[in-house]
Amino acid sequence: MSHAAARHPIPHGYAKAHVSPEDYRARYAESVKDPETFWGREGRRLDWVQPYTRVKNTDFTLGKVSIRWFEDGVLNACVNCVDRHLPARAGQTAIIWEPDDPAAPARHITYAELSDKVNRMANVLLSQGVMRGDRVVIYLPMIPEAAFAMLACARIGAIHSIVFAGFSPDALANRINDCGAKLVITADTAPRGGRKTALKSNTDAALLHCSDRVRCLVIKHTGDQTTWVQGRDVDVLALMDQVSPDCPARPMGAEDPLFILYTSGSTGRPKGVVHTTGGYLVYASMTHQCTFDYQDGDVFWCTADVGWVTGHSYIVYGPLANGATTLMFEGVPTFPDPGRFWAVCEKHKVTQFYTAPTAIRSLMGQGPEWVERHDLSSLRILGSVGEPINPEAWAWYDKHVGKGRCPIVDTFWQTETGGHMITSLPYAIETKPGAATLPFFGVSPAVLDAASGTVIEGNGVEGVLAISDSWPGQMRTLWGDHQRFEEAYFQQYPGYYFTGDGCRRDEDGYYWITGRVDDVINVSGHRMGTAEVESALVAHPKVAEAAVVGYPHDIKGQGIYAYVTVMNDVTPSEELRRELEGWVRTEIGPIAKPDLIQWAPGLPKTRSGKIMRRILRKIAENDYGSLGDTSTLAEPAVVDDLIDNRMNRG
Ligand code: WTA
């Protein structure tokens, strides 16, 4: 990525855009100078049962971090995503569902039908004893029932926590137990790319490690045979037919939790990020509308999975709060062929397409002919999320998918931030390939010196990215552990929310995200804590010690590189390598499988026993010429062996 990257001017001739260049400047200035007025006005984009009188009450002071928005307001998120669009949009499609199998029929769910399904599912939850504040774990594939389940929880004030369907039974059990879920909603099996994942049997395995009071609600999606535990398992669709289609929505406080979403941090177990009702929904709605310039009649497609935050904010909550038509895709970009994304865009006349750089890179490798055989003239705006987009992928996306006429929004944000933080806005902020560009309304970025924490002013500077004031979509706490929340995000640089990312502010004041500066890696846009993979590896009886780092990977962005020290009486072998790969798959899930495993007789440690990850990263990057100072190592010879046997010689 170079500073000199070409500028991509704002396309002309689009007069209707939600934000113009002048608007952006004026409204941004107001949003950071007078957030009360700015957000007080924006909050009214939602319907409130009882309007708020207090807009912002936030404090980043270590020891008393507290984040509250619209705190005395009362509302219901489901009403805002469903009921309030009736009757005007009753016949409009809310959700287009495209199944894995291209020959199977797509579903078009209108707002009226959405309302019916969500009310029924809410009544099913009530019939199972779910009450306000209870936690419900959702372990579902990309089917409309996942959205129904989220909204049904919101309707009755239950807190949902979605676990990505690619996670293993162990990972599912840990999350069920951590949040103390009363029930889990799953499906029989999940087809993806022509293959099926046995979600129900995964759930059965997970529930062996949970309280026997946890109930299991099953969506019979494929109709495949599964085991059935009488008294515990419930057939959701059958019950939905029996219950009433009316379920009163529970009035909720703006600061009542809406959902918990587990994400990886640099240390320890996954963290339960808590988002609340009012601020999150205002922010998801506004970012969806402005970043994608969503207009009535558009068909919006975010290719993420609902198991990640991107799916929460930009498949379900943002679009539905805006009365949009949102597309949900069950499959993968390469099934039945690498033209599937474009076939779906053509079939459903998609206007906004939002995906991850890793998907673009993998499709780029298949050649442009897969794109060119489809009519993509409906596309108006393209988006990117999850990791920095390299200029080659950007240029390919622009040329072959956008035909040079669709603005590309590169959206930087995190599970913790609820919605976009730094992004261009179509027709308002001119882009540069690889730059996230400028902050969204209400976001105050600061570039800090990593070591001292001092603010680096001016342009043409580099450091770490922190945010100096709160915005409505910010996470409020970690489930059950407010102290860990403060330590993880506010301790390192007092007075700031620390993103964990490095960044550069160029000569024009544009922000370029340079990647994580902590022990979090980003594999195919999926966030992974190296500590999680390490603890899975050392749980294997033949492993004595393990250290995991990321390394540059052409398609995935980063790959997982594991250094493994085996027990004294064990001889490393190909068979053991495969065994460890399989082991990590079962402990966490397929996305955590190491790409490279190097047998390490020893790991480089300081005399106090701390693993020197900096050195391991360099060797994994095949950049061992610049190892820096190794004089503090307890056994410098260890490094020579690691270099000689390095796995990445590319
Ligand atoms: C990275 C995903 C560069 C970043 C929404 C962040 C990005 C982490 C971008 C959050 C982008 C996300 N450019 N890097 N446009 N978007 N990231 O929580 O390192 O799964 O901290 O949220 O992804 O990942 P998460």
Side-chain angles (χ1 to χ4, degrees):
M1 269 177 260
S2 76
H3 288 281
R7 290 165 158 286
H8 287 254
I10 299 160
H12 289 297
Y14 192 74
K16 285 197 303 188
H18 287 295
V19 186
S20 71
E22 300 72 42
D23 276 348
Y24 172 69
R25 277 190 292 275
R27 289 166 70 193
Y28 178 75
E30 183 200 27
S31 73
V32 290
K33 209 169 74 215
D34 185 5
E36 300 271 343
T37 305
F38 182 88
W39 290 112
R41 196 171 55 235
E42 282 303 327
R44 291 198 282 275
R45 61 175 48 245
L46 300 184
D47 281 2
W48 298 80
V49 176
Q50 181 189 301
Y52 47 86
T53 61
R54 186 152 196 201
V55 176
K56 181 175 187 282
N57 179 11
T58 65
D59 189 348
F60 281 7
T61 312
L62 196 58
K64 49 177 195 168
V65 176
S66 161
I67 296 149
R68 312 185 129 260
W69 286 88
F70 314 109
E71 59 186 313
D72 58 348
V74 175
L75 77 168
N76 183 281
C78 177
V79 167
N80 275 283
C81 290
V82 184
D83 307 42
R84 70 162 171 160
H85 304 312
L86 306 171
R89 295 183 192 276
Q92 182 201 310
T93 301
I95 299 175
I96 299 175
W97 180 69
E98 170 70 20
D100 186 52
D101 173 4
R107 283 171 73 183
H108 291 258
I109 297 152
T110 63
Y111 273 95
E113 197 186 336
L114 179 64
S115 168
D116 179 81
K117 299 286 190 201
V118 168
N119 274 272
R120 288 177 188 273
M121 197 168 300
N123 277 326
V124 168
L125 292 175
L126 290 176
S127 78
Q128 299 306 308
V130 177
M131 292 187 292
R132 174 188 185 135
D134 283 346
R135 275 78 60 207
V136 170
V137 162
I138 299 175
Y139 183 61
L140 285 175
M142 288 287 288
I143 53 176
E145 286 73 13
F148 304 161
M150 294 164 79
L151 294 166
C153 287
R155 191 161 192 89
I156 61 170
I159 304 166
H160 62 72
S161 183
I162 306 195
V163 176
F164 173 56
F167 278 124
S168 70
D170 278 3
L172 174 61
N174 289 340
R175 286 156 175 80
I176 292 172
N177 292 332
D178 189 85
C179 72
K182 202 168 207 173
L183 59 82
V184 49
I185 307 178
T186 190
D188 42 15
T189 58
R192 244 179 125 244
R195 278 184 295 185
K196 282 182 183 167
T197 310
L199 289 184
K200 171 61 164 62
S201 62
N202 281 355
T203 308
D204 289 338
L207 288 176
L208 294 175
H209 306 285
C210 303
S211 151
D212 52 18
R213 287 190 304 274
V214 180
R215 300 218 138 185
C216 182
L217 269 55
V218 185
I219 314 269
K220 292 190 173 172
H221 171 49
T222 55
D224 287 339
Q225 199 72 38
T226 63
T227 51
W228 204 260
V229 179
Q230 286 303 331
R232 185 198 73 181
D233 296 349
V234 178
D235 179 341
V236 184
L237 299 181
L239 207 51
M240 276 170 76
D241 284 341
Q242 292 163 26
V243 296
S244 150
D246 290 306
C247 175
R250 188 106 200 207
M252 302 299 288
E255 284 300 336
D256 284 333
L258 179 62
F259 66 85
I260 303 167
L261 186 56
Y262 286 86
T263 190
S264 296
S266 48
T267 54
R269 304 212 336 198
K271 304 182 283 197
V273 168
V274 176
H275 282 288
T276 59
T277 308
Y280 169 80
L281 201 61
V282 168
Y283 202 70
S285 159
M286 186 180 186
T287 48
H288 171 260
Q289 182 186 44
C290 298
T291 304
F292 302 110
D293 190 44
Y294 187 87
Q295 305 280 345
D296 249 353
D298 283 349
V299 175
F300 180 81
W301 184 15
C302 163
T303 70
D305 191 283
V306 286
W308 309 116
V309 74
T310 310
H312 283 63
S313 299
Y314 301 111
I315 294 177
V316 179
Y317 286 115
L320 296 180
N322 294 338
T325 299
T326 181
L327 194 148
M328 240 179 140
F329 174 44
E330 187 182 33
V332 299
T334 48
F335 176 81
D337 63 50
R340 186 69 191 277
F341 268 180
W342 324 122
V344 174
C345 284
E346 176 176 12
K347 175 175 174 188
H348 297 293
K349 305 222 169 2
V350 170
T351 45
Q352 285 93 345
F353 178 75
Y354 187 34
T355 198
T358 182
I360 299 167
R361 284 192 300 267
S362 77
L363 296 175
M364 204 168 118
Q366 311 279 341
E369 57 275 20
W370 293 102
V371 194
E372 259 121 47
R373 68 180 66 146
H374 297 282
D375 174 7
L376 297 182
S377 57
S378 60
L379 287 175
R380 198 158 66 75
I381 285 150
L382 303 177
S384 172
V385 60
E387 54 175 316
I389 181 165
N390 49 309
E392 301 72 35
W394 197 101
W396 189 89
Y397 200 24
D398 179 43
K399 178 172 176 204
H400 296 287
V401 182
K403 317 291 181 202
R405 54 170 185 80
C406 300
I408 297 180
V409 290
D410 179 356
T411 62
F412 165 79
W413 62 296
Q414 309 176 298
T415 306
E416 292 87 342
T417 71
H420 305 148
M421 295 296 279
I422 299 183
T423 177
S424 66
L425 299 177
Y427 316 108
I429 298 175
E430 118 185 327
T431 57
K432 295 186 198 183
T437 76
L438 296 174
F440 192 76
F441 300 115
V443 174
S444 311
V447 180
L448 307 183
D449 176 72
S452 67
T454 46
V455 179
I456 307 176
E457 306 279 2
N459 290 340
V461 296
E462 192 159 346
V464 296
L465 178 63
I467 312 292
S468 64
D469 198 1
S470 184
W471 64 99
Q474 183 171 25
M475 72 183 286
R476 303 302 197 249
T477 190
L478 285 172
W479 182 254
D481 202 347
H482 196 70
Q483 194 182 333
R484 188 177 173 205
F485 169 63
E486 294 207 1
E487 287 164 5
Y489 302 103
F490 298 91
Q491 183 165 286
Q492 201 161 345
Y493 302 110
Y496 292 92
Y497 165 80
F498 177 43
T499 61
D501 283 291
C503 97
R504 187 171 80 222
R505 189 166 51 220
D506 74 9
E507 265 58 29
D508 297 320
Y510 272 35
Y511 292 84
W512 300 69
I513 309 301
T514 52
R516 301 288 303 197
V517 294
D518 53 13
D519 290 319
V520 171
I521 54 179
N522 199 322
V523 183
S524 300
H526 299 321
R527 211 169 131 170
M528 191 95 50
T530 49
E532 282 167 71
V533 187
E534 284 165 10
S535 64
L537 284 166
V538 296
H540 189 283
K542 291 181 185 159
V543 173
E545 211 172 11
V548 170
V549 297
Y551 73 100
H553 187 288
D554 285 351
I555 305 284
K556 300 181 176 184
Q558 277 186 301
I560 302 178
Y561 193 120
Y563 297 88
V564 172
T565 310
V566 293
M567 294 291 188
N568 272 335
D569 54 346
V570 174
T571 316
S573 63
E574 266 316 297
E575 197 189 337
L576 180 58
R577 188 190 305 279
R578 279 192 297 275
E579 194 177 315
L580 292 183
E581 288 171 3
W583 177 265
V584 176
R585 284 174 76 102
T586 13
E587 291 273 309
I588 307 175
I591 53 172
K593 182 179 87 68
D595 295 279
L596 297 172
I597 295 178
Q598 174 170 358
W599 306 116
L603 294 171
K605 290 185 189 159
T606 61
R607 285 184 200 99
S608 59
K610 198 170 171 324
I611 295 177
M612 293 189 72
R613 300 177 154 278
R614 179 176 55 79
I615 293 179
L616 295 176
R617 268 187 228 116
K618 288 281 181 197
I619 297 173
E621 287 164 11
N622 198 25
D623 181 20
Y624 55 90
S626 56
L627 286 184
D629 183 13
T630 53
S631 62
T632 54
L633 281 175
E635 288 179 86
V638 164
V639 174
D640 297 329
D641 177 84
L642 293 179
I643 292 173
D644 288 345
N645 295 299
R646 69 192 187 280
M647 302 293 290
N648 172 21
R649 289 163 190 265

